Amino acid sequence: MEARAGATRSWNPPTLGEQVVLLSPSGELRGAVVLCAVNSNAHPALSDDPNLTRLRLPDGAAAAKRSHRHERHESHHRRAAIRRRAYSSERR
């Protein structure tokens, strides 16, 4: 399972020691899906700040992005679409 699997795709396999969850609605583990990215004592979250997105790679490279306010991703896109429609209506 990946973060993205459409036009934008990602590949980030689990690492040794990473805690995962096996999702198997039928109970048959051969058909289970592995859900990665479960924080643990050995691999705690990089932050508890809801306004901060952080990434740390195995080679030590890191990135961080601070939001102005915490909001759900889909609501941001919905507002942006509404603003575009309102702007195009005003220009007619």
Side-chain angles (χ1 to χ4, degrees), residues 12-87:
N12 192 3
T15 56
L16 185 63
E18 182 175 354
Q19 187 171 328
V20 300
V21 173
L22 293 177
L23 178 64
S24 178
S26 70
E28 181 59 49
L29 292 181
R30 284 181 285 185
V33 175
V34 178
L35 303 176
C36 298
V38 178
N39 291 318
S40 64
N41 289 338
H43 302 283
L46 293 176
S47 175
D48 62 359
D49 182 346
N51 299 308
L52 184 65
T53 299
R54 293 189 66 189
L55 172 69
R56 185 184 315 150
L57 299 174
D59 67 358
K65 171 77 168 116
R66 181 167 296 285
S67 304
H68 292 291
R69 62 182 177 275
H70 182 64
E71 59 188 0
R72 292 180 56 134
H73 186 70
E74 42 304 316
S75 66
H76 170 72
H77 287 292
R78 194 169 34 248
R79 270 200 310 281
I82 292 168
R83 287 182 186 145
R84 276 195 299 272
R85 275 188 244 129
Y87 178 72

